[in-house]
Amino acid sequence: DPDRERYHTIRSEIISGPVTDWATDFSHLDPRWSEDPFPIMDDLRQRCPIAHTERFGGAWVPTLYEDIAAIAHDTDRFSSRSVNVTNFRPPRDLAPIGELPPITSDPPFHHGARKLLLPAFTKTAVAKLESTTRAYCHSLIDGFTGRDVVDGAEDYAQRIPEQVIGDLLGIPQGDRKQFRELIANMNREDTQGSRDDHVEQLSKMFVFLLAEIKEHVKNPREDLITYLLNMELHGRKLEPTHIISMMLLLFAAGIGTTSKSIGSSLWHLA
Ligand code: HEM
């Protein structure tokens, strides 16, 4: 039903169980994939360079660089609206902005939505966060004194990006505990798990961020929230929902990636 696809999130049938053939029944949730994806990729490149699956409402898996590059550049035929391979597909009507701009945005909207963020991530802008970040890392390590066992992932790696993004956005110290809990609850989402639970966590985060935005409207200061509040796109101030979705993307894109690379680096060095 085209209208359903247009206005509603599509929930597809959950197909679980071990993969029977990677070329026709692909699943990134199969433990063999997370264990070692490389031989599987090598095999697919030889045998079936664009694999397919009926899982997750149907998906294609290109494995060759040339195909991936061609698809990434062919924005007329391939949308960025649905960036996660899950059993839920966002409504088509969210295009061109998508759920989490700019990663879910299509051109030409994408260009402006991305450009908006760039000044906040220049070398100079990021360097301003360095000394407080360094001090925070030291304080975490100092906190380990007297402990026999420390979980480097939970107690160290995971904590740093949350703190840095909190600093970047300008979340007041008094709200940090709640901010950390909200992020932890959002990240606990299991891709096969309950969408309702996820939506509930997301709404709590939404309410929290909206309150932060209102507070920043009253008391502007030098941080990313104030910067985004002052920004204009196509001659208009951004909607609070656009600002919130961008923040949600920073959590989704900036926390798992960096905490896992810090954790993996520690593991590698050990
Ligand atoms: C090890 C760390 C990271 C890795 C490996 C990583 C990886 C990626 C990848 C593969 C993309 C998709 C690019 C594309 O589709 O063209 C992306 C996009 C993005 N990432 Fe990261 N990322 C990391 C850290 C971060 C951090 C710390 C932030 C922000 C706080 C961030 C914000 C974004 C944003 C906003 C986009 C969307 C860009 C756009 O649509 O134009 N990422 N990242």
Side-chain angles (χ1 to χ4, degrees), residues 93-224:
D93 238 39
L94 285 180
I97 303 180
E99 281 183 313
L100 298 170
I103 207 166
T104 54
S105 310
D106 287 323
F109 180 87
H110 176 263
H111 180 76
R114 179 195 178 100
K115 212 170 143 194
L116 208 66
L117 274 172
L118 294 181
F121 293 91
T122 59
K123 227 174 146 180
T124 329
V126 171
K128 286 191 191 138
L129 297 166
E130 189 175 328
S131 64
T132 46
T133 303
R134 198 178 286 281
Y136 180 72
C137 295
H138 278 294
S139 77
L140 286 176
I141 296 169
D142 292 345
F144 300 152
T145 313
R147 284 173 64 181
D148 289 336
V149 179
V150 167
D151 185 328
E154 284 266 328
D155 301 334
Y156 186 73
Q158 169 76 28
R159 303 287 299 277
I160 302 164
E162 289 169 2
Q163 179 75 11
V164 175
I165 291 188
D167 290 345
L168 187 75
L169 291 172
I171 309 288
Q173 290 305 326
D175 297 344
R176 289 298 177 97
K177 194 166 164 278
Q178 195 192 353
F179 179 60
R180 278 218 338 263
E181 283 164 9
L182 288 168
I183 286 183
N185 289 342
M186 271 192 6
N187 290 346
R188 250 193 292 113
E189 182 214 6
D190 168 3
T191 30
Q192 292 279 23
S194 146
R195 174 78 173 184
D196 297 337
D197 185 43
H198 179 59
V199 169
E200 193 189 319
Q201 299 306 339
L202 212 59
S203 351
K204 284 189 185 156
M205 179 61 103
F206 197 93
V207 170
F208 175 86
L209 293 176
L210 195 59
E212 295 293 341
I213 290 180
K214 284 188 178 153
E215 213 283 314
H216 277 74
V217 172
K218 267 195 261 158
N219 301 305
R221 40 195 189 258
E222 216 181 292
D223 57 32
L224 187 57

Side-chain angles (χ1 to χ4, degrees), residues 57-75:
W60 298 94
V61 188
T63 58
L64 295 175
Y65 174 84
E66 301 80 74
D67 291 336
I68 295 170
I71 291 168
H73 289 109
D74 186 354
T75 52

